[in-house]
Amino acid sequence: MIQAPKGTYDVLPREAERRGILEAHVQRIFGGAGYRRIETPAFEATELFARGVGASTDIVQKEMYSFDDGGGRSLTLRPEGTAPICRAYIEHGMHKLPLPVKFWYFGSYFRAEQPQKGRYRQFWQVGAEVIGAGAPETDAEIILLLAELLEAMGVKGTRLRLASLGTPETRVEYRDELTAYLRAHESELSEEVRARIDLNPMRAFDSSDRGTQVVMADAPKLLDRLDPEDAEHFEQVRTLLDVAGIPYEVDPTLVRGLDYYTRTLFEFTSDALGAQSGVGGGGRYDRLIEQLGGQPTPGIGFAAGAERILLAGAEQPIAPDPVDLLVVVANREDRIAGVAGFELAREARRAGLAAQFELSGRSLKGALKHADRIHARYVAIVNDPQSATLKDMESGDQRELETAGVIATILRGSRLA
Ligand code: ATP
Ligand code: MG
């Protein structure tokens, strides 16, 4: 038996409907704010992610599905959407458009990870990017729209954490300061943190070791080292969120995977999710477009996991698709009546009715039972090429009609008895 590959899953029709609802909310909320949909290829040159995500990130170091395309080029199944969208922005010369350009997307992404609840190897993200605007209103807007989306989907127990990373230069200086601080307190730190001082000093903030936590309480914080302009930018983002009534916590220890972030960084989590609590996050990436070969251009975006939104979101009642008409051929052996019935279903659809042809060869009795099951409003039993019995499944009334009159009768909604 062949099964779906580890870490992947099938979107069965019921789930597909919930996804459709999610997509409709994204379209409504982001479309309403002037964001337009973008789609990029499922794979890209590996180099794009190596340069655009950052060589030191988990994604690039261990989570990419890379392969040779047969011609000696390395391609990678896209692990995230921001670098591809910036690539497309540069490739299509979108800097000539009125700025900023605002995109939303909904597609699948691939990461070689250990699968668990809320973590897959192929997963879907909804996201948005604003390229060509650096003002703090942009940062606040994108956070606000994501908050609105999560609310519309009924995601429970959300928390928003917020920080500012300043510039890469500030971070380099800060990193030296933090490393020196950790060195000075080396004996009080856990083994694990000590071993990673040079590799990733920021991780010390996440340690569950008591001694390390005591040391980190007094450690220098990046937020206190921001340049005045970066600090002011962050202040304004906070003011805008305060006015919009979006609750958040400033978390000076917030670190996210991607190297290209500048200034604002944010993440929504949900208590409803357990271990994989991250619903979506993002940040500003004012250096990325330049790093990919474009003009220096500010940008900001987020990505949120569709599975996690659906897991933490409210079950939305889904009404079954309406069926206006089920066409049944009384005598399956009668091929000419079969053609008439098939045509009737086709014409009914062209007239705007939701009409199905009974395909499975059920007996008349079985077909009527099936009509009940799918909540068909009417059943047309085609007796011969010219005549059909139209049955109103609600009242039970039925009437013999010319086949040609069936659709008009349904559209008029006239009583059959
Ligand atoms: P995590 O901490 O869960 O690994 P991340 O920091 O790698 O998340 P991002 O790269 O910021 O996540 O991706 C944005 C969102 O995409 C996450 O908040 C999460 O909801 C979702 N996501 C990331 N990786 C996966 C995955 N392997 N399976 C399902 N959803 C994912
Ligand atoms: Mg991850």
Side-chain angles (χ1 to χ4, degrees):
M1 241 253 292
I2 300 172
Q3 296 188 320
K6 184 174 166 183
T8 69
Y9 60 90
D10 301 303
V11 181
L12 301 179
R14 208 192 125 64
E15 268 304 297
E17 295 206 9
R18 292 191 71 211
R19 277 161 187 262
I21 292 172
L22 170 58
E23 192 177 317
H25 280 305
V26 177
Q27 163 76 67
R28 176 179 59 79
I29 292 168
F30 287 87
Y35 292 62
R36 299 179 66 205
R37 186 170 194 161
I38 186 166
E39 288 290 342
T40 60
F43 51 84
E44 297 269 359
T46 300
E47 174 68 12
L48 174 65
F49 301 112
R51 266 208 276 160
V53 177
S56 73
T57 59
D58 279 357
I59 291 181
V60 172
Q61 290 204 333
K62 44 188 193 205
E63 296 174 358
M64 297 207 301
Y65 284 107
S66 299
F67 56 96
D68 187 300
D69 74 346
R73 275 172 301 267
S74 178
L75 298 177
T76 293
L77 297 183
R78 59 181 183 181
E80 61 97 51
T82 301
I85 288 171
C86 290
R87 194 251 327 125
Y89 171 89
I90 298 166
E91 187 170 329
H92 299 284
M94 291 194 230
H95 61 279
K96 294 188 210 115
L97 298 174
L99 295 182
V101 288
K102 303 188 279 187
F103 301 113
W104 67 266
Y105 61 89
F106 184 30
S108 66
Y109 294 83
F110 307 86
R111 294 184 194 177
E113 300 201 74
Q114 213 36 56
Q116 41 194 297
K117 193 175 175 203
R119 188 180 296 290
Y120 306 92
R121 292 181 172 175
Q122 178 179 7
F123 58 101
W124 270 255
Q125 284 187 335
V126 308
E129 313 287 348
V130 180
I131 302 179
E137 287 75 13
T138 328
D139 308 44
E141 175 176 292
I142 215 149
I143 293 171
L144 202 126
L145 293 174
L146 175 54
E148 237 172 85
L149 176 66
L150 298 180
E151 194 189 325
M153 289 301 294
V155 176
K156 291 169 286 278
T158 54
R159 290 198 310 152
L160 168 61
R161 291 185 301 147
L162 192 67
S164 175
L165 289 180
T167 59
E169 293 75 27
T170 309
R171 285 208 292 283
V172 169
E173 267 175 47
Y174 167 72
R175 194 190 155 108
D176 289 346
E177 185 187 354
L178 180 63
T179 307
Y181 176 84
L182 294 174
R183 286 261 171 261
H185 293 81
E186 219 170 323
S187 61
E188 302 151 65
L189 301 173
S190 76
E191 283 268 346
E192 205 195 334
V193 169
R194 226 180 305 155
R196 308 198 57 180
I197 290 183
D198 289 315
L199 207 64
N200 195 344
M202 286 295 281
R203 282 277 160 91
F205 284 109
D206 296 332
S207 173
S208 52
D209 172 67
R210 189 70 201 114
T212 305
Q213 286 172 350
V214 171
V215 174
M216 295 321 285
D218 291 327
K221 307 284 186 314
L222 176 57
L223 271 180
D224 301 325
R225 299 292 182 269
L226 299 183
D227 287 345
E229 308 88 76
D230 292 340
E232 197 183 312
H233 190 277
F234 189 49
E235 257 316 299
Q236 182 67 359
V237 174
R238 294 184 53 179
T239 303
L240 293 163
L241 292 176
D242 289 339
V243 171
I246 308 269
Y248 60 86
E249 282 159 58
V250 172
D251 182 350
T253 69
L254 183 60
V255 271
R256 288 175 46 83
L258 315 184
D259 281 351
Y260 51 61
Y261 283 123
T262 50
R263 293 190 160 173
T264 310
L265 190 67
F266 61 93
E267 179 166 54
F268 281 91
T269 54
S270 163
D271 301 338
L273 282 176
Q276 268 60 58
S277 65
V279 180
R284 181 164 277 291
Y285 47 83
D286 291 347
R287 304 289 178 93
L288 178 60
I289 304 258
E290 195 178 353
Q291 201 169 315
L292 294 175
Q295 306 287 326
T297 310
I300 183 165
F302 78 85
E307 293 80 9
R308 294 189 199 175
I309 291 178
L310 293 169
L311 268 171
E315 272 292 336
Q316 320 216 356
I318 293 169
D321 286 332
V323 180
D324 299 319
L325 174 66
L326 179 69
V327 178
V328 183
V329 177
N331 175 10
R332 285 166 42 206
E333 308 299 318
D334 184 344
R335 291 180 53 191
I336 302 187
V339 171
F342 188 80
E343 277 296 289
L344 174 58
R346 185 176 77 105
E347 275 167 25
R349 285 192 293 267
R350 288 162 64 110
L353 295 172
Q356 299 182 21
F357 183 78
E358 213 298 309
L359 290 167
S360 71
R362 289 184 175 90
S363 68
L364 192 52
K365 195 168 149 220
L368 287 170
K369 229 167 146 183
H370 181 62
D372 265 336
R373 204 162 36 219
I374 64 175
H375 304 291
R377 181 72 181 75
Y378 292 94
V379 175
I381 303 153
V382 178
N383 303 311
D384 56 64
Q386 275 75 45
S387 77
T389 306
L390 184 61
K391 182 170 169 137
D392 181 332
M393 297 298 286
E394 257 170 35
S395 64
D397 298 339
Q398 57 182 56
R399 196 205 294 173
E400 189 96 359
L401 291 168
E402 279 186 25
T403 311
V406 167
I407 294 168
T409 306
I410 294 174
L411 288 174
R412 271 201 310 274
S414 40
R415 296 178 57 98
L416 300 177

